[in-house]
């Protein structure tokens, strides 16, 4: 018996040793014979990914005997796909050569903002294919929601209209967003409004999410994450697409895409027209959205010139107020707004011009100019408003004085945002890659309000402005990024950024008489944001990394306009440590990342009043976010894969004081807290996708001139309980929810069409009743603390179905 056991163990050991010896290695060169570092090598249809070292060397180990398709890609060089068959224990590929491109292409434009594998950051890539298979008209956050640590919400309940996202508990005002490297965050509120970019997903090539402070980028500082969106590369062949979808709540998306392909090997043009409509899950929360995208590119030798413009126009019935708690049980679609024209009406148009030149084999220059025009208003019916707040004189009668009135107002924003960015990429040898970049942007925004109707208007004229002010913000930054390969295994990274901001605005102050007045003010900030990291390649499949980053962030508009120079809040500082590893093998991939985000002077709402009587966010001395993110995937069997992620975290304020309105005394009550949980920061976030492909690409032997592809995905999202404010009160929180979706995609290539795809999704498959967002107001009355809350319920079971025709 023992002999059989020993024989079995010995056989297994020999098999394991033999198995581990199957490998593919090699050296990659450019067409000039020099080794190429940082080349991306992938075993197609597997989780294996490797990067060549400073000598151009790479290696895949622990392979099974089989035939592998290897794809080699590197910016500025033509991609190469090579078939390799392993029959012996090891295969060495000698002198693999990549041919340098003679024309500049789109990936050069984004090379300064798109990360390569040598930079030690925590990031996720969402490809064009992944975006296409989920794009049925919902906003961009909903197409990215299964990435790690992300929570999304929709005011209307179904992902169309006003949507929001949080990453690691940080809202969009703390998430830096760029499109092709151009900053997109609103300069004043620092938020991102995807409603102004309807169906933008239809023009995306990829999306890259960096969690944490991330590397230096243009625009507002990243305090939770940064997202880089890259628009479509040019197509070499002419094409056309018609994409249509429809579904619950009268949701419809109609999209037309077209492109000329290459004209005379130098010119190309691409375009898109879109219209998205939805009634919304919530009553009257309708959306009427229109957009376009157009690009033209000229390429000649080492130069390229590309112009992009895109625009979105939205008209959305407001559902900003949420619903009271008792309506969650009795009327989940309740909307407190009933005025027929309670709408948001806004248009935003973007223009981007890129010029790139390859100066020589070591220097690459990227430059861009941009201009964004935005204008629009939101209209509201307001009952019982103080007439003095609208510059309306009181009305005197023989028996009474009228000081209040019902009215309809429009609050306008008319703004211009323009500037330029640049990057100079220097690769003098196989070990060093350095980038010098930066940008300068100017925001000029007019804010004004109009009364378009009043029950008692006095002698005021229609559309008379009751406030009118301008704000100007100038934001410049310069950064240097250096990646250095110390050896085949070790790589270092250093990123240094200086950012300078000046903001001119109309804000509150106290004059010599002690009165609160609105006067012109100025705030100036200069930040130094260093980042340093290191990565270690244990082997071709396993990489360890660490990154320490410092980020600084200025207060937003309300923090400044509602305070005086003496009570003005301080800027926030983040110290972010990211440590992790990534491992990819033929049948599985795994990455684990630990993070500690330490905040100094984080701005949170406490209820405190400043010296001009305004309640604004207050600097908290110490707070932090600490967690672990696990992301992975495995091929369970042929045709069946599982991918998923899990975030476990603690998000705490060390100590702070809350100031609560006392309705009995008209004063403030104070409550002290220690180690309370930051609002909207669930300690558990998870996502899971099982994808089944019963068959793929029948190539004509079974059905001539036809290729079929069917995938069925079961998608799950878990979000733990979230506190709506920082008091960690069980009375002011959102319950955890676990939601499941079903997605089915079927496509076939049938002449004369390039592709016909039918795809659809059933969301909230098991009809879970949940809310993903809320607001709360605390007060004390009768000796007890009470709260008003507004919830944003998400849609019950609903569906979207789409048909895409490509030709």
């Amino acid at each position: 018996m023992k002999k059989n056991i020993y024989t079995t163990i010995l056989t297994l050991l020999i098999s394991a040793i033999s198995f581990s010896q199957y490998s593919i290695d090699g050296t990659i060169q450019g067409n000039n014979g020099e080794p190429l570092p940082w080349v991306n090598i992938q075993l197609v249809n597997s989780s294996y990914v490797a990067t060549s070292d400073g000598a151009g060397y790479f290696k895949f180990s622990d392979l099974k005997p089989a035939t592998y398709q290897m794809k080699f890609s590197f910016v500025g060089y033509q991609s190469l796909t090579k078939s390799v068959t392993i029959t012996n224990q090891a295969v060495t590929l000698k002198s693999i050569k990549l041919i340098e491109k003679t024309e500049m292409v789109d990936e050069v434009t984004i090379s300064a903002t798109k990360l390569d594998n040598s930079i030690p950051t925590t990031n996720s890539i969402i490809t064009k294919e992944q975006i296409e298979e989920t794009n049925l008209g919902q906003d961009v956050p909903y197409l990215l929601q299964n990435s790690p640590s992300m929570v999304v919400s929709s005011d209307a309940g179904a992902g169309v209209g006003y949507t929001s996202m949080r990453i690691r508990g940080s809202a969009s005002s703390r998430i830096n967003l760029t499109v092709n490297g151009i900053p997109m965050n609103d300069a004043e509120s620092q938020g991102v409004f995807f409603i102004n970019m309807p169906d933008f997903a239809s023009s995306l090539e990829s999306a890259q999410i960096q969690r944490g402070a991330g590397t230096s980028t243009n625009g507002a500082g990243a305090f939770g994450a940064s997202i880089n969106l890259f628009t479509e590369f040019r197509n070499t062949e002419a094409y056309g697409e018609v994409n249509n979808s429809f579904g619950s709540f009268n949701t419809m998306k109609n999209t037309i895409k077209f492109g000329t392909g290459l004209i005379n090997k130098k010119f190309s043009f691409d375009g898109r027209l879109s219209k998205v409509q939805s009634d919304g899950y919530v009553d009257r929360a309708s959306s009427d959205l229109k957009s376009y995208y157009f690009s033209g590119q000229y390429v000649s030798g080492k130069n390229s010139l590309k112009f992009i413009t895109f625009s979105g126009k939205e008209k959305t019935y407001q559902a900003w107020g949420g619903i009271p708690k008792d309506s969650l049980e009795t009327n989940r679609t309740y909307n407190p707004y009933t005025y027929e024209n309670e709408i948001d009406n806004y248009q935003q148009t973007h223009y981007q011009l890129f010029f790139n030149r390859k100066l020589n084999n070591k220097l690459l220059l990227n430059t861009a100019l941009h201009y964004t025009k935005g204008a629009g208003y939101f209209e509201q019916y307001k009952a019982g408003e103080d007439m003095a707040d609208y510059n309306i004189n009181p009305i005197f009668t023989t028996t009474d004085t009228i000081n209040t009135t019902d009215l309809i107002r429009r609050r306008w924003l008319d703004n211009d945002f323009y500037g330029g960015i640049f990057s100079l990429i220097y690769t003098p040898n196989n070990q060093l890659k350095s980038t010098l970049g930066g940008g300068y942007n100017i925001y000029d925004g007019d804010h004004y309000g109009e009364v378009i109707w009043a029950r008692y208007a006095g002698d005021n004229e229609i559309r008379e402005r009751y406030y009118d002010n301008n704000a100007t913000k100038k934001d410049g930054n310069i950064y240097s990024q250096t990646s250095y390969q110390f050896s085949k295994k070790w790589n270092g990274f250093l990123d240094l950024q200086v950012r300078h901001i000046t903001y001119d605005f109309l804000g509150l102050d106290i004059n010599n008489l002690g009165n609160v007045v609105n006067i012109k003010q100025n705030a100036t900030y200069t930040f130094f944001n260093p980042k340093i990291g290191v990565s270690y390649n244990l082997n071709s499949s396993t990489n360890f990394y660490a990154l320490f980053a410092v980020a600084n962030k200025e207060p937003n508009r309300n923090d400044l306009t509602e305070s005086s120079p003496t009570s003005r809040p301080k800027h926030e500082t983040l110290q972010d440590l990211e440590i992790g590893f990534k491992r990819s093998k033929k049948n599985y991939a795994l990455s684990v990342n630990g993070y500690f985000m330490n905040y100094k002077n984080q701005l949170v709402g406490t209820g405190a009043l400043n010296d001009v009587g305004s309640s604004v966010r207050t600097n908290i001395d110490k707070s932090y976010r600490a967690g672990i993110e696990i992301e992975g995937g495995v091929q369970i069997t042929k045709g069946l894969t599982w991918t998923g992620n899990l975030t476990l975290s603690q998000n705490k304020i060390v100590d702070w004081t809350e100031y609560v309105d006392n309705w009995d005394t008209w004063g403030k009550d104070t409550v002290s807290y220690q180690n309370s949980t930051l609002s909207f920061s669930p300690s558990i976030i998870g996502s899971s996708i099982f994808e089944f492909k019963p068959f793929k690409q029948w190539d004509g032997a079974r059905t001539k001139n036809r290729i079929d592809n069917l995938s069925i995905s079961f998608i799950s999202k878990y979000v733990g309980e979230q506190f709506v404010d920082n008091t960690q009160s069980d009375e002011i929180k959102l319950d955890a929810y676990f939601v499941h979706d079903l997605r089915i995609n079927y496509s076939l290539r049938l002449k004369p069409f390039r592709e016909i795809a039918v795809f659809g999704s059933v969301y909230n498959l098991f009809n879970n009743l949940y809310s993903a967002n809320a607001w709360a107001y605390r007060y004390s009355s009768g000796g007890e603390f009470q709260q008003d809350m507004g919830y944003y319920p998400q849609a019950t079971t609903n569906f979207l179905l789409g048909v895409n025709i490509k030709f």
Side-chain angles (χ1 to χ4, degrees):
M1 180 68 177
K2 288 185 178 180
K3 183 178 180 181
N4 291 337
I5 293 174
Y6 293 149
T7 302
T8 302
I9 293 173
L10 183 61
T11 301
L12 290 173
L13 288 173
I14 294 172
S15 299
I17 294 170
S18 300
F19 174 71
S20 66
Q21 292 175 345
Y22 286 100
S23 64
I24 302 175
D25 67 349
T27 303
I28 308 171
Q29 299 178 350
N31 52 327
N32 56 5
E34 293 185 0
L36 287 180
W38 303 312
V39 175
N40 185 74
I41 310 108
Q42 180 179 9
L43 298 187
V44 181
N45 296 327
S46 80
S47 299
Y48 271 111
V49 178
T51 304
S52 61
D53 62 19
Y57 178 78
F58 71 93
K59 184 176 182 179
F60 292 102
S61 56
D62 297 338
L63 299 177
K64 295 179 181 180
T67 297
Y68 296 90
Q69 296 294 319
M70 302 182 66
K71 185 176 181 179
F72 303 83
S73 56
F74 188 57
V75 171
Y77 288 79
Q78 297 178 21
S79 296
L80 172 67
T81 301
K82 190 175 183 66
S83 179
V84 180
T85 300
I86 299 180
T87 54
N88 299 320
Q89 292 182 343
V91 173
T92 298
L93 304 176
K94 297 181 180 179
S95 300
I96 301 169
K97 287 192 175 183
L98 298 186
I99 306 302
E100 190 174 6
K101 294 178 178 178
T102 58
E103 296 179 337
M104 301 288 286
V105 293
D106 298 78
E107 55 260 43
V108 173
T109 300
I110 65 174
S111 59
T113 51
K114 192 170 185 178
L115 295 176
D116 61 46
N117 294 327
S118 65
I119 298 179
T121 61
T122 308
N123 65 88
S124 300
I125 304 295
I126 294 88
T127 66
K128 180 178 181 178
E129 291 74 18
Q130 291 172 314
I131 294 171
E132 281 186 340
E133 67 184 9
T134 60
N135 182 19
L136 287 160
Q138 293 178 317
D139 282 356
V140 170
Y142 274 71
L143 307 187
L144 308 180
Q145 65 173 315
N146 289 305
S147 58
S149 303
M150 181 176 282
V151 178
V152 302
S153 179
S154 168
D155 285 6
V160 178
Y162 269 93
T163 59
S164 62
M165 63 180 174
R166 295 179 183 270
I167 298 178
R168 292 184 180 176
S170 295
S172 61
S173 61
R174 296 172 176 272
I175 299 172
N176 175 280
L177 180 77
T178 61
V179 172
N180 302 321
I182 305 296
M184 299 296 291
N185 294 69
D186 178 75
E188 294 190 284
S189 71
Q190 302 177 32
V192 179
F193 302 96
F194 288 100
I195 194 170
N196 300 324
M197 306 161 62
D199 198 29
F200 193 65
S202 292
S203 295
L204 288 181
E205 183 70 28
S206 65
Q208 175 182 274
I209 302 173
Q210 293 186 66
R211 298 183 294 281
T215 57
S216 292
T217 186
N218 298 296
F223 257 49
S226 59
I227 299 178
N228 300 317
L229 302 179
F230 303 107
T231 55
E232 286 184 310
F233 294 167
R234 66 174 181 174
N235 290 270
T236 57
E237 297 181 358
Y239 69 94
E241 294 184 25
V242 179
N243 306 334
N244 297 288
S245 61
F246 68 94
S248 301
F249 320 121
N250 292 321
T251 301
M252 295 186 66
K253 178 178 86 81
N254 307 108
T255 303
I256 298 174
K257 295 178 63 177
F258 53 89
T260 63
L262 277 177
I263 302 174
N264 296 328
K265 296 184 179 181
K266 292 185 177 182
F267 296 92
S268 62
F269 301 93
D270 298 272
R272 171 182 58 81
L273 298 172
S274 298
K275 181 177 175 63
V276 180
Q277 291 179 298
S278 179
D279 290 343
Y281 169 69
V282 174
D283 295 343
R284 296 178 298 285
S286 60
S287 299
D288 184 4
L289 317 175
K290 302 178 181 67
S291 68
Y292 72 77
Y293 172 91
F294 176 80
S295 70
Q297 184 168 354
Y298 170 76
V299 178
S300 178
K302 296 182 178 182
N303 302 308
S304 74
L305 185 68
K306 186 169 186 176
F307 172 74
I308 297 173
T309 179
F310 55 94
S311 180
K313 181 173 176 55
E314 59 92 3
K315 185 180 290 186
T316 307
Y317 194 96
Q318 297 171 26
W320 303 341
I323 69 172
K325 188 172 185 177
D326 54 8
S327 294
L328 290 175
E329 300 286 339
T330 60
N331 184 10
R332 286 177 52 82
T333 65
Y334 171 73
N335 187 347
Y337 299 128
T338 57
Y339 166 56
E340 64 181 11
N341 207 42
E342 194 99 1
I343 62 167
D344 187 57
N345 189 345
Y346 192 80
Q347 181 168 3
Q348 193 173 79
T349 304
H350 303 258
Y351 305 92
Q352 301 178 350
L353 179 65
F354 300 89
F355 174 73
N356 307 300
R357 178 174 175 80
K358 189 169 186 180
L359 301 175
N360 54 47
N361 289 334
K362 298 179 180 180
L363 278 174
L364 176 64
L365 176 66
N366 302 314
T367 62
L369 298 174
H370 68 87
Y371 171 65
T372 300
K373 177 63 181 179
Y377 62 86
F378 61 90
E379 185 172 315
Q380 295 175 306
Y381 173 83
K382 305 292 287 185
E385 293 288 283
D386 288 337
M387 295 162 64
D389 292 339
Y390 297 87
N391 299 324
I392 302 175
N393 294 322
I395 297 175
F396 300 98
T397 68
T398 56
T399 59
D400 197 6
T401 300
I402 301 174
N403 294 303
T404 63
T405 181
D406 302 334
L407 55 82
I408 298 172
R409 69 185 187 186
R410 286 181 176 176
R411 303 184 69 176
W412 279 84
L413 180 61
D414 187 346
N415 52 32
D416 301 274
F417 180 60
Y418 52 94
I421 63 172
F422 80 96
S423 64
L424 184 65
I425 303 173
Y426 178 53
T427 51
N429 53 50
N430 298 327
Q431 294 177 291
L432 177 66
K433 180 180 180 181
S434 184
T435 300
L436 177 67
Y440 187 75
N441 307 297
I442 299 174
Y443 171 90
D444 186 353
D446 291 325
H447 306 257
Y448 60 91
E450 299 175 338
V451 175
I452 65 171
W453 173 86
R455 192 174 303 279
Y456 304 108
D459 57 358
N460 287 36
E461 297 293 334
I462 186 173
R463 302 190 189 285
E464 189 164 321
R465 296 184 181 183
Y466 62 95
Y467 71 89
D468 191 350
N469 65 76
N470 174 268
T472 303
K473 188 173 184 179
K474 300 175 182 179
D475 185 346
N477 80 94
I478 188 167
Y479 63 87
S480 171
Q481 292 179 358
T482 301
S483 181
Y484 186 77
Q485 186 110 29
F486 293 100
S487 67
K488 290 184 178 180
K489 294 183 177 294
W490 288 97
N491 191 84
F493 176 73
L494 181 64
D495 183 337
L496 305 173
Q497 183 197 51
V498 176
R499 182 170 174 244
H500 182 75
I501 306 108
T502 60
Y503 184 41
D504 297 297
F505 57 94
L506 190 67
L508 299 176
D509 199 0
I510 301 175
N511 64 13
N512 295 330
L513 300 176
N515 297 321
V516 177
V517 294
N518 251 331
I519 63 172
K520 273 289 185 180
Q521 298 187 45
N522 173 272
T524 302
Y525 303 91
T526 299
F527 301 137
F528 175 55
N529 302 316
K531 303 165 180 72
I532 186 169
V534 63
S535 63
Y536 174 74
N537 294 314
L538 180 65
N539 50 48
S540 62
S541 60
T542 306
N543 170 265
F544 294 87
Y545 65 88
L547 179 72
F548 178 75
V550 176
N552 292 278
K553 187 176 183 63
E554 73 276 18
N556 64 27
R557 173 180 170 81
N558 288 342
D559 297 323
L560 298 176
T561 60
E562 301 300 316
S563 63
S564 74
T566 56
S567 64
R568 185 170 295 161
K570 302 174 184 177
H571 73 270
E572 304 170 279
T573 299
L574 166 65
Q575 298 170 332
D576 179 28
L577 177 64
E578 309 273 336
I579 300 177
F581 82 92
K582 301 175 183 178
R583 181 172 175 83
S584 60
K585 304 295 288 184
K586 182 176 185 298
N587 294 321
Y588 75 91
L590 175 67
S591 68
V592 179
N593 180 75
Y595 64 89
F596 183 75
M597 303 171 68
N598 183 50
Y599 294 93
K600 176 72 173 177
N601 292 325
Q602 184 174 190
L603 283 164
V604 301
T606 65
L609 299 181
N610 57 27
D611 60 346
V612 291
S614 296
S615 178
V616 295
R617 297 189 301 171
T618 304
N619 293 115
I620 297 297
D621 184 38
K622 296 179 181 179
S623 56
Y624 67 88
R625 301 182 186 276
I628 183 171
E629 296 166 325
I630 305 169
E631 187 176 12
V634 61
Q635 184 170 337
I636 300 172
T637 185
K638 187 175 183 180
L640 179 62
T641 59
W642 173 84
T643 57
N645 56 73
L646 175 67
T647 300
L648 305 173
S649 66
Q650 283 199 343
N651 310 274
K652 297 292 184 178
I653 301 176
V654 176
D655 61 80
W656 69 288
T657 300
E658 179 191 24
Y659 297 83
V660 184
D661 288 337
N662 188 313
W663 285 14
D664 299 326
T665 66
W666 295 98
K668 291 278 189 179
D669 294 335
T670 60
V671 185
S672 296
Y673 299 89
Q674 287 77 40
N675 294 316
S676 64
T677 298
L678 282 161
S679 62
F680 300 106
S681 301
S683 59
I684 304 176
I685 304 173
S687 178
S688 168
I689 301 176
F690 286 93
E691 184 176 29
F692 178 53
K693 294 183 177 181
F695 57 88
K696 186 177 181 181
Q697 294 189 341
W698 296 353
D699 59 3
R702 301 181 62 174
T703 52
K704 190 175 182 181
N705 297 325
R706 172 175 165 176
I707 299 178
D708 296 67
N709 185 9
L710 172 66
S711 68
I712 303 170
S713 300
F714 183 74
I715 305 162
S716 303
K717 183 79 175 186
Y718 179 84
V719 177
E721 66 178 20
Q722 305 175 65
F723 294 102
V724 179
D725 66 8
N726 298 310
T727 63
Q728 198 172 326
S729 168
D730 287 336
E731 301 298 320
I732 310 177
K733 73 175 183 180
L734 296 172
D735 293 332
Y737 56 88
F738 195 20
V739 181
H740 308 277
D741 302 335
L742 178 66
R743 183 176 68 222
I744 301 176
N745 291 3
Y746 176 71
S747 62
L748 60 92
R749 299 179 185 178
L750 184 63
K751 290 184 177 180
F753 301 106
R754 184 161 56 95
E755 183 180 27
I756 300 175
V758 179
F759 55 108
S761 292
V762 180
Y763 305 102
N764 197 358
L765 187 63
F766 301 121
N767 207 39
N768 193 358
L769 303 181
Y770 71 101
S771 296
N773 198 7
W775 60 263
Y777 166 67
R778 285 238 305 170
Y779 62 95
S780 65
S781 179
E784 295 183 354
F785 289 112
Q786 302 181 43
Q787 58 276 327
D788 289 336
M789 293 187 66
Y791 294 83
Y792 298 88
Q794 303 302 283
T796 51
T797 303
N798 63 100
F799 77 94
L800 288 172
L801 179 66
V803 179
N804 293 356
I805 300 176
K806 300 179 181 181
F807 49 90

